[in-house]
Amino acid sequence: MSQSQIINLDEKRDFEVNSSNLKHVRSFCREVFEKLNINQDLKDELVLAIAEAAQNIVKHAYKNEETEDKMEIKISVSNGYLEIGFFDKGRPVEKDKIRHRKIDDIKPGGLGTFFIQQIMDAVVFKEGEKPWINHLILSKNLNN
Amino acid sequence: MSYKVTEENNISTVYLDGEIDMDVTEKAKEVIMPLIEAKKEVHLNLKDVQYMDSSGISVLIESHQKATELGTKVTLKEISKSVLKVIMMAKLEQILNLD
């Protein structure tokens, strides 16, 4: 798909950090990706990757604890290059401990990170700038 | 997520409907696991599941493993395109019973 067919955009939204808001995260993503001229399969994959990353914030940065904190998700497309930023104020991510389970080790759990890595071109964890603690960046070249 | 359970010829069929994510996995397990623990053969009908994430996949794995352990079987029926894609992304199509 050529980049001339993909518009530039920059949209962000806050969500309270809890599992019941994951459906709202998905709705936001679907709303944004509806504006992009990309195929439905890719849209569905991107929604899954974003929802898995948001789920990881709930499960790992906040350990499923009740909080009034919000996370922010920012979706940007520029020249056919998609970048999704996740900002949260949970526990600092220990980058060295993030790994998906071996895919042939069949057991419940540990697949979210695998899905994200399968779908996206790059996954980068950064220290968040105040007031944020964590800043995760998922990126993908939509021109390919 | 909503669900319906039917019984026929000693097979319990659970019709799941909606989106299955981390927020509803406990509810899904509360419906499915007691049937497996009662050693019933369970069919999970997924034709009306429009979205499933890694948490939903974990429920499928857990159900399959529990059934195998108890000498019964869980079969996935009428799997929607979007769920099949996630099952295949997890490379589980040869592990779970797909029909």
Side-chain angles (χ1 to χ4, degrees):
Chain A
M1 183 170 293
S2 76
Q3 66 183 59
S4 61
Q5 293 173 291
I6 302 172
I7 62 164
N8 291 342
L9 58 80
D10 202 1
E11 304 207 17
K12 67 178 177 184
R13 198 167 295 175
D14 290 340
F15 302 90
E16 278 182 20
V17 179
N18 60 57
S19 64
S20 62
N21 267 324
L22 294 173
K23 57 181 171 294
H24 300 305
V25 169
R26 296 196 294 275
S27 297
F28 167 61
C29 300
R30 287 171 183 142
E31 198 181 293
V32 173
F33 293 140
E34 210 43 55
K35 299 171 187 173
L36 295 178
N37 186 18
I38 55 176
N39 69 53
Q40 190 60 46
D41 279 355
L42 179 55
K43 286 177 189 173
D44 292 344
E45 287 180 8
L46 293 171
V47 169
L48 178 64
I50 294 171
E52 294 289 356
Q55 182 185 148
N56 282 345
I57 292 172
V58 176
K59 270 166 80 172
H60 302 300
Y62 283 86
K63 307 269 183 207
N64 291 318
E65 290 162 357
E66 277 191 31
T67 178
E68 291 182 356
D69 282 1
K70 291 186 173 182
M71 60 177 150
E72 184 178 289
I73 300 178
K74 183 180 176 189
I75 303 177
S76 312
V77 179
S78 177
N79 298 320
Y81 190 80
L82 169 69
E83 187 172 290
I84 306 147
F86 299 79
F87 304 84
D88 72 74
K89 300 175 189 170
R91 293 169 179 77
V93 169
E94 295 178 68
K95 292 181 217 169
D96 298 341
K97 291 189 177 172
I98 297 170
R99 60 177 67 88
H100 61 78
R101 68 162 164 79
K102 288 180 183 167
I103 199 64
D104 54 357
D105 178 16
I106 308 299
K107 62 181 180 187
L111 275 172
T113 304
F114 176 73
F115 288 162
I116 294 168
Q117 290 174 343
Q118 289 278 100
I119 294 164
M120 306 307 296
D121 294 340
V123 179
V124 177
F125 286 95
K126 292 169 72 174
E127 203 170 297
E129 286 183 21
K130 279 188 179 178
W132 306 108
I133 301 292
N134 298 307
H135 179 191
L136 166 66
I137 303 166
L138 307 183
S139 55
K140 189 173 183 77
N141 186 349
L142 303 176
N143 298 308
N144 293 334
Chain B
M1 183 200 79
S2 59
Y3 68 92
K4 181 179 79 177
V5 183
T6 63
E7 299 272 346
E8 197 177 344
N9 301 327
N10 211 31
I11 295 174
S12 300
T13 301
V14 182
Y15 294 83
L16 296 171
D17 192 333
E19 301 199 326
I20 301 182
D21 67 6
M22 177 190 176
D23 197 38
V24 301
T25 48
E26 281 310 309
K27 185 177 168 188
K29 282 199 273 189
E30 280 169 19
V31 177
I32 299 164
M33 287 304 179
L35 298 170
I36 298 170
E37 281 156 9
K39 300 192 178 180
K40 289 183 175 173
E41 182 174 342
V42 175
H43 290 177
L44 296 181
N45 188 301
L46 303 176
K47 74 179 165 64
D48 293 321
V49 177
Q50 298 95 15
Y51 172 88
M52 183 177 282
D53 67 7
S54 61
S55 299
I57 294 291
S58 290
V59 175
L60 300 184
I61 295 172
E62 210 174 317
S63 304
H64 172 78
Q65 290 181 331
K66 190 68 173 175
T68 305
E69 183 190 318
L70 295 176
T72 183
K73 189 177 176 186
V74 172
T75 305
L76 309 183
K77 296 279 198 181
E78 296 188 81
I79 308 165
S80 66
K81 187 186 160 206
S82 58
V83 173
L84 183 61
K85 197 173 163 190
V86 181
I87 288 172
M88 293 181 77
M89 200 184 292
K91 305 190 193 309
L92 291 169
E93 68 273 22
Q94 304 292 329
I95 307 291
L96 303 174
N97 299 310
L98 275 53
D99 186 16

